Amino acid sequence: MALVKYNNRSILNVTALDSIASGDMNLITTNTISSGVSSSSFTSSIDSTYDTYMFKFINMHPASDGVSLTFNGSIDGGSNFNVTKTTSYLEAIHDEGDSSTGLNYQTSLDIAQGTGYQELLRIPGNDNDQSGSGTLMLFSPSNTTFVKQFTYTGASVTDSNFANNNFVAGYFNTTSAINAVDFKFSSGNIDSGVIKMYGLSKS
């Protein structure tokens, strides 16, 4: 936050205040899901106002067991979610019984110049106490010179009671502006959860 300096000798004598920055993270929209929906989209307010957009997923709970939260972008305001992308996918796992651990690159979950949905949150279970949470960063989506990078990290309790930590990175291979995104599970509905979209103030 920028330092605000007042020329008046005493705060008692201040007659006008310059605008004060609201902070780096600016909440734009909250999608709260309390009953089954097939997807959750953000089709407005992704523009040149901010260079970076951040999506927070909180307790995403699938209706179906063992499915994954996925996402895709759009260049036409959400009419189509099918932007070409190249991605990588890494995960760390550890089960409740302390009998299985791993750090794995998942070649089956990355995309090489494909238009399908990218997996993010890995197979959270649909038991009442199982869910997943994470953060997706989308960089400079309105830029029309460069491709659009994104990163994701998240954690879930899987359908087989593993702690699962996921790391995804990639880029939308387009110089057109990304102006909408969509989130859905790989099968079945989103039973409940919260998705918040923030804009990060330009430096």
Side-chain angles (χ1 to χ4, degrees), residues 41-42 55 73 104 117-118 121 124 126-127 172 189 192:
S41 300
F42 294 79
F55 298 86
N104 310 303
Y117 277 66
Q118 172 61 49
L121 187 64
N126 70 344
D127 291 355
F172 290 111
N189 284 341
S192 63

Side-chain angles (χ1 to χ4, degrees), residues 64-86:
S64 302
D65 207 25
V67 296
S68 299
L69 186 67
T70 67
F71 99 111
N72 213 332
S74 173
I75 61 173
D76 54 17
S79 296
N80 299 280
F81 292 101
N82 59 358
V83 182
T84 299
K85 67 190 71 64
T86 292

Side-chain angles (χ1 to χ4, degrees), residues 105-119:
Y105 184 86
Q106 294 286 1
T107 56
S108 64
L109 302 179
D110 62 19
I111 295 175
Q113 289 300 95
T115 59
Y117 277 66
Q118 172 61 49
E119 187 166 314

Side-chain angles (χ1 to χ4, degrees), residues 42-184:
F42 294 79
T43 58
S44 63
S45 301
I46 301 177
D47 52 36
S48 61
T49 304
Y50 302 102
D51 285 334
T52 304
Y53 287 80
M54 178 171 62
F55 298 86
K56 289 284 188 180
F57 310 98
I58 303 165
N59 287 329
M60 300 299 293
H61 187 259
S64 302
D65 207 25
V67 296
S68 299
L69 186 67
T70 67
F71 99 111
N72 213 332
S74 173
I75 61 173
D76 54 17
S79 296
N80 299 280
F81 292 101
N82 59 358
V83 182
T84 299
K85 67 190 71 64
T86 292
T87 67
S88 62
Y89 197 107
L90 183 72
E91 70 175 359
I93 59 173
H94 185 199
D95 75 321
E96 287 183 359
D98 197 23
S99 61
S100 180
T101 62
L103 178 63
N104 310 303
Y105 184 86
Q106 294 286 1
T107 56
S108 64
L109 302 179
D110 62 19
I111 295 175
Q113 289 300 95
T115 59
Y117 277 66
Q118 172 61 49
E119 187 166 314
L120 299 176
L121 187 64
R122 183 86 164 122
I123 53 175
N126 70 344
D127 291 355
N128 289 336
D129 63 345
Q130 294 175 331
S131 66
S133 302
T135 302
L136 171 71
M137 306 292 289
L138 175 61
F139 301 98
S140 197
S142 65
N143 186 286
T144 55
T145 301
F146 301 109
V147 300
K148 319 301 184 294
Q149 286 89 17
F150 57 85
T151 61
Y152 169 82
T153 184
S156 63
V157 182
T158 73
D159 58 339
S160 52
N161 296 314
F162 275 75
N164 198 313
N165 190 191
N166 314 119
F167 306 89
V168 182
Y171 57 91
F172 290 111
N173 195 5
T174 179
T175 56
S176 297
I178 298 292
N179 52 25
V181 294
D182 183 57
F183 303 97
K184 65 180 182 179

